[in-house]
Amino acid sequence: MDQPIIEGIPGRYWHLLEDGRVQCDVCPRYCKLHEGQRGLCFVRGRLRDQMVLTTYGRSSGFCIDPIEKKPLNHYLPGTPVLSFGTAGCNLTCKFCQNWDISKARALDRIQDRASPEAIAEAATRSRCRAVAFTYNDPVIFLEYAIDVAQACRERGISTVAVSAGYITAEPRVEFFRHMDAANIDLKGFTEGFYKHLCSSRLAPVLETLEYLKHETNVWFEITTLLIPGENDSQTEIEAESAWIIDRLGPDVPLHFTAFHPDWRMMDTPPTPPETLRRARGIATKAGIRYVYTGNIHDPRGQTTYCHVCGVVLIGRDGYELTAWNLSADSTCIKCGTRCPGVFEPIHGRWGSRRHPVRVGGRR
Ligand code: SF4
């Protein structure tokens, strides 16, 4: 049984319905709640006739990761990023690869207490260039994520949202105004996939992607986890690629990553590496300039090539950088073509290390 709500900070984006219920307007689920009920995400709920966020300042743990693990290949390559999540999620993906956090129904999963200032300080201390909201979707804890982002900006630290982009129009504006980079999961390219495997909808995710491209300066990349027999057909990958070219242009990087059996899909086999390489070929043929494979060993599929002359711009083997052929102004050293993204003259050297850190105190 869900834990009763006993505390929370006031949440934004909700209103009272005529029938006495309170409707949360943060995401397209629009949960309608009686007193004491939680939304589907579990972390937002109704307490004393208003919506509250129950996980402000609480985390499931902090880890310094390579930025490439988010995945972001065109944002400060080689640098470390302080990563954390809370609990809960507003999607119900049967293939969730982080289900111990996203499906957490007991708040004992989130034992670390950390103020926004403590997180920003920890990032500075550990020489991280960014803080990433990851492991679960920051949309559901946007009040906390925004305060962390503000504390980070005051110290010159950027913030990265790893999100499914399942958010409504008004909070979308506020949330992404505080983010510097994002990786958005485009989980499939049919409404059927979203409905049957995530009990959600594709259209709001596409709206988020178009919003990011046309109305913000947030650097973003897209990830599609390919699941055998579910979203890996040639037709679907062609449709996704064509939409990206048409609505976002050729420069938004696309990552095809490998599924492994997890959560409610233990009987589905892992994605064969060949499926990822085939998808990369389809998207490249459609005109997307930077297409990557992930969760497999595939240095060729993880390397950034100049889309004009074909030279290796950034070589990668897993999360290790193996070559760097970008000039100080982010152009190809051979032909001078600009590579889109956020780069610095000297790349980071964090490599593939993963380093848990303690921030704040235990409950
Ligand atoms: S954010 Fe949570 S409570 Fe609000 S509508 Fe979405 S799932 Fe429901």
Side-chain angles (χ1 to χ4, degrees):
M1 205 172 105
D2 283 352
Q3 294 177 349
I5 302 173
I6 52 172
E7 61 175 352
I9 63 119
R12 302 204 268 274
Y13 305 107
W14 58 273
H15 69 281
L16 190 61
L17 297 170
E18 280 184 5
D19 65 7
R21 291 180 298 170
V22 160
Q23 175 174 308
C24 175
D25 298 318
V26 167
C27 92
R29 292 196 176 279
Y30 298 115
C31 294
K32 298 169 183 62
L33 306 176
H34 294 289
E35 182 62 29
Q37 284 186 319
R38 292 175 184 271
L40 176 134
C41 60
F42 187 72
V43 300
R44 306 180 81 80
R46 177 173 174 174
L47 178 64
R48 290 187 280 279
D49 289 334
Q50 63 174 341
M51 288 297 296
V52 296
L53 169 64
T54 60
T55 51
Y56 190 100
R58 298 172 69 177
S59 155
S60 54
F62 291 82
C63 203
I64 302 176
D65 287 334
I67 191 83
E68 286 79 7
K69 191 172 166 53
K70 301 305 101 188
L72 287 174
N73 278 357
H74 293 231
Y75 190 79
L76 302 175
T79 61
V81 54
L82 182 63
S83 306
F84 80 100
T86 58
C89 189
N90 57 338
L91 274 75
T92 60
C93 305
K94 291 180 178 163
F95 48 87
C96 185
Q97 313 272 292
N98 275 331
W99 62 269
D100 55 331
I101 291 171
S102 65
K103 311 299 178 200
R105 287 293 178 268
L107 295 180
D108 55 5
R109 281 289 314 166
I110 47 176
Q111 295 190 336
D112 284 0
R113 285 259 184 205
S115 68
E117 291 71 27
I119 294 170
E121 283 296 330
T124 306
R125 253 195 335 270
S126 52
R127 297 173 188 266
C128 288
R129 301 296 309 282
V131 166
F133 309 104
T134 181
Y135 310 139
N136 72 326
D137 203 306
V139 160
I140 61 171
F141 60 92
L142 85 163
E143 294 86 356
Y144 184 31
I146 286 170
D147 285 357
V148 172
Q150 284 177 330
C152 285
R153 277 200 176 151
E154 286 167 11
R155 292 161 178 81
I157 305 283
S158 61
T159 43
V160 174
V162 180
S163 171
Y166 206 55
I167 185 169
T168 54
E170 205 184 338
R172 181 187 288 143
V173 173
E174 186 190 12
F175 179 74
F176 284 111
R177 191 168 64 228
H178 292 86
M179 300 297 140
D180 299 289
N183 187 292
I184 304 295
D185 270 340
L186 181 52
K187 293 172 184 285
F189 204 70
T190 63
E191 286 292 353
F193 179 93
Y194 269 84
K195 180 176 176 192
H196 297 304
L197 293 183
C198 313
S199 67
S200 54
R201 292 184 292 124
L202 168 62
V205 182
L206 300 184
E207 282 170 23
T208 296
L209 289 169
E210 289 203 75
Y211 172 76
L212 285 172
K213 178 66 186 177
H214 301 296
E215 309 211 28
T216 75
N217 291 320
V218 176
W219 175 259
F220 71 101
E221 305 184 15
I222 298 171
T223 296
T224 299
L225 181 83
L226 289 181
I227 305 173
E230 301 290 353
N231 61 356
D232 62 344
S233 73
Q234 171 144 349
T235 312
E236 191 162 336
I237 294 165
E238 282 175 347
E240 176 178 333
S241 304
W243 184 89
I244 290 172
I245 287 289
D246 184 42
R247 303 299 182 92
L248 309 178
D251 285 339
V252 177
L254 174 60
H255 302 254
F256 289 112
T257 57
F259 160 89
H260 59 82
D262 219 330
W263 187 230
R264 299 274 160 83
M265 291 184 71
M266 294 302 292
D267 295 334
T268 302
T271 314
E274 189 43 41
T275 299
L276 300 175
R277 295 194 185 102
R278 177 177 55 83
R280 179 168 174 265
I282 294 169
T284 302
K285 192 171 168 210
I288 301 176
R289 291 171 175 163
Y290 309 98
V291 189
Y292 301 101
T293 57
N295 293 351
I296 58 166
H297 183 241
D298 183 22
R300 187 175 157 72
Q302 286 146 7
T303 287
T304 304
Y305 300 90
C306 175
H307 76 92
V308 172
C309 72
V311 84
V312 169
L313 295 177
I314 308 170
R316 296 184 189 83
D317 186 350
Y319 303 132
E320 299 280 350
L321 302 188
T322 56
W324 184 265
N325 291 316
L326 275 180
S327 301
D329 60 354
S330 311
T331 56
C332 170
I333 56 163
K334 187 173 170 203
C335 73
T337 301
R338 188 180 160 275
C339 183
V342 178
F343 303 103
E344 291 179 331
I346 299 174
H347 63 80
R349 298 184 181 278
W350 179 255
S352 57
R353 281 173 287 165
R354 195 152 192 271
H355 182 49
V357 288
R358 173 65 59 78
V359 177
R362 286 254 149 178
R363 286 172 60 78

